[in-house]
Amino acid sequence: MEPAETIAVAEWMRHPAATAVLSVLSGGGYRGRFVGGAVRNHLLGLPVTDFDIATDATPQRTLDLCVQAGLKAIPTGIEHGTVTVVFDREPVEVTTLRRDVETDGRRAVVAFTDDWAQDAARRDFTLNALYLDADGALYDPTGSGIADARARRIRFVGEAETRIREDVLRILRFFRFHAAYGSDGLDADGLAACGALAPSMARLSGERIWKELSRLLVACRAGDVLVTMAEVGVARHLWDGPVDAGRAVALIRLERDHRLDADPLRRLAALVAEPDAAETVAERLRLSNAEARRMTVALATPGDAPSDEAARRAAIYRLGAQPFTDARLLRAAETGEDVSADLVTARSWTPPVFPLGGGDVTGLGIAPGPRVGELLRQVEAWWIMGDFAADAEACRSELRRLASQRG
């Protein structure tokens, strides 16, 4: 295979861990080339933070060569050709060239090959099917990967429907890659294939859907892409229930206007059109307990606007800063109301610690039991109503007053 062009050698191509792995492969008579995200990001002018290497060496041969060279090699996915090599605590994934033998839409049975074109043919998008030598020789087996990368076009390798039937997750990857890297409109053939095959997403595991969706939700063009997913009928197959792309878009705009970090859980909550569906969505996407709890609370918490600053602090104290922020932003995404003051307080105000405890109550001669908690709750409510101004002694005075009312 001849290189399509030669590019200037960048600093990341001389990374010590990559250099060590490529040297070991070369010393054994094999080829090793950068592939995937590193090559794509370089052509897009984006940072390269990690890299994968493709090789014509079999997985076992890669293991043997690395061990002989004193490198730590871990067979992380050896049945699919992947070996993780660690050099100076830096991991590098090395994967043998492959071709698909059998696919079922979720997983593939592969055979190893030494044919770079066969390996490229099984990849998802043309801009991910590029290979790069450490000396800058750039290979483009599909013939369009370089041009597509530079034009920020997300196109499937070969027939879009064929690629999707091999792995249905590629529907979400198509939208996620466009949201992260794309320019202009989505590829028409890819969009049509995604819409036609969207019902097949029901076969995907929730973990795989959430992994892709969470990355899509924080991508720079997430709002536009979510609208398109809804329009072509893909979004409704994320879970069993309606999706509110409009509210998600409004929330994304609010986050950007207020310079908040893109938050995948909050954006997911905005997508869930019915609060009662939170549990269903959490189960479908296999969210962690913490993720499910946060989304459920965000959707169940009334996001009514506090009447003044004291009410704002009271709400933050009772709910917590994050649930308060989530609820207010979700409400504002629906109503368009101004949440600037709410966000400022949630970011800048640290709720105080209630100064009394059970010992303050029993110290008055009140036996342990339900009345202890009742009195503490009453004093705490009084303390909150006073905008947290009362100190410990004032709270004890109020406690004595309340206790005396019931003897």
Side-chain angles (χ1 to χ4, degrees), residues 94-167:
V94 183
T95 302
T96 301
L97 303 178
R98 299 168 292 181
R99 60 180 177 83
D100 288 335
V101 174
E102 181 181 335
T103 59
D104 64 3
R106 292 179 297 173
R107 61 185 66 86
V109 176
V110 300
F112 304 127
T113 180
D114 60 1
D115 189 324
W116 296 85
Q118 283 187 335
D119 186 76
R122 70 175 299 278
R123 294 183 177 270
D124 49 10
F125 310 119
T126 56
L127 81 173
N128 287 337
L130 299 170
Y131 306 86
L132 179 66
D133 283 337
D135 64 2
L138 182 60
Y139 301 85
D140 186 3
T142 70
S144 60
I146 295 173
D148 285 344
R150 288 176 173 153
R152 293 180 173 264
R153 285 190 296 263
I154 312 303
R155 293 202 301 166
F156 285 98
V157 173
E159 293 290 332
E161 285 201 11
T162 300
R163 297 287 81 77
I164 292 170
R165 291 185 190 281
E166 291 168 350
D167 185 353

Side-chain angles (χ1 to χ4, degrees), residues 207-221:
E207 292 92 341
R208 295 187 77 201
I209 291 178
W210 177 231
K211 183 177 181 180
E212 284 296 325
L213 181 59
S214 63
R215 297 171 74 181
L216 187 162
L217 287 172
V218 299
C220 60
R221 302 185 67 184

Side-chain angles (χ1 to χ4, degrees), residues 77-294:
I78 196 165
E79 70 278 5
H80 290 102
T82 301
V83 173
T84 300
V85 182
V86 182
F87 177 85
D88 196 22
R89 293 184 290 185
E90 291 274 359
V92 178
E93 283 203 348
V94 183
T95 302
T96 301
L97 303 178
R98 299 168 292 181
R99 60 180 177 83
D100 288 335
V101 174
E102 181 181 335
T103 59
D104 64 3
R106 292 179 297 173
R107 61 185 66 86
V109 176
V110 300
F112 304 127
T113 180
D114 60 1
D115 189 324
W116 296 85
Q118 283 187 335
D119 186 76
R122 70 175 299 278
R123 294 183 177 270
D124 49 10
F125 310 119
T126 56
L127 81 173
N128 287 337
L130 299 170
Y131 306 86
L132 179 66
D133 283 337
D135 64 2
L138 182 60
Y139 301 85
D140 186 3
T142 70
S144 60
I146 295 173
D148 285 344
R150 288 176 173 153
R152 293 180 173 264
R153 285 190 296 263
I154 312 303
R155 293 202 301 166
F156 285 98
V157 173
E159 293 290 332
E161 285 201 11
T162 300
R163 297 287 81 77
I164 292 170
R165 291 185 190 281
E166 291 168 350
D167 185 353
V168 178
L169 189 68
R170 286 172 172 167
I171 292 175
L172 284 182
R173 285 177 63 80
F174 175 73
F175 291 104
R176 195 257 291 182
F177 268 71
H178 186 79
Y181 308 112
S183 178
D184 300 325
L186 287 93
D187 175 68
D189 291 340
L191 191 60
C194 288
L197 297 176
S200 302
M201 290 167 58
R203 292 184 287 160
L204 292 171
S205 70
E207 292 92 341
R208 295 187 77 201
I209 291 178
W210 177 231
K211 183 177 181 180
E212 284 296 325
L213 181 59
S214 63
R215 297 171 74 181
L216 187 162
L217 287 172
V218 299
C220 60
R221 302 185 67 184
D224 293 341
V225 166
L226 289 172
V227 169
T228 302
M229 289 173 66
E231 289 174 346
V232 300
V234 170
R236 69 172 179 265
H237 295 287
L238 291 169
W239 52 74
D240 185 15
V243 171
D244 193 339
R247 182 167 68 165
V249 170
L251 175 70
I252 291 170
R253 189 177 300 114
L254 279 169
E255 287 182 335
R256 290 175 178 166
D257 288 347
H258 292 284
R259 299 183 180 180
L260 297 172
D261 291 338
D263 190 313
L265 249 300
R266 187 187 296 135
R267 292 180 178 188
L268 174 64
L271 273 178
V272 180
E274 299 172 345
D276 292 344
E279 183 176 348
T280 299
V281 173
E283 289 179 359
R284 174 64 183 113
L285 301 184
R286 306 294 295 174
L287 301 183
S288 69
N289 289 337
E291 290 171 332
R293 189 179 310 112
R294 181 183 168 198

Side-chain angles (χ1 to χ4, degrees), residues 301-322:
T301 301
D304 299 341
S307 57
D308 55 25
E309 186 64 20
R312 192 170 290 119
R313 285 192 285 264
I316 294 170
Y317 177 82
R318 289 193 173 101
L319 296 173
Q322 185 176 76

Side-chain angles (χ1 to χ4, degrees), residues 17-38:
T19 299
V21 172
L22 293 172
S23 177
V24 166
L25 293 170
S26 177
Y30 299 96
R31 283 277 189 187
R33 289 174 174 142
F34 296 109
V35 68

Side-chain angles (χ1 to χ4, degrees), residues 38-92:
V39 185
R40 176 195 68 230
N41 281 16
H42 181 76
L43 292 179
L44 292 174
L46 299 174
V48 175
T49 56
D50 55 20
F51 31 75
D52 297 331
I53 290 175
T55 182
D56 53 357
T58 65
Q60 188 59 54
R61 190 68 182 127
T62 299
L63 280 170
D64 292 343
L65 288 170
C66 289
V67 170
Q68 291 168 13
L71 300 180
K72 181 179 181 181
I74 307 165
T76 46
I78 196 165
E79 70 278 5
H80 290 102
T82 301
V83 173
T84 300
V85 182
V86 182
F87 177 85
D88 196 22
R89 293 184 290 185
E90 291 274 359
V92 178

Side-chain angles (χ1 to χ4, degrees), residues 313-346:
R313 285 192 285 264
I316 294 170
Y317 177 82
R318 289 193 173 101
L319 296 173
Q322 185 176 76
F324 172 80
T325 300
D326 289 344
R328 290 296 293 130
L329 284 170
L330 288 174
R331 174 65 175 269
E334 293 179 344
T335 65
E337 59 195 70
D338 185 9
V339 291
S340 300
D342 303 304
L343 298 179
V344 169
T345 304

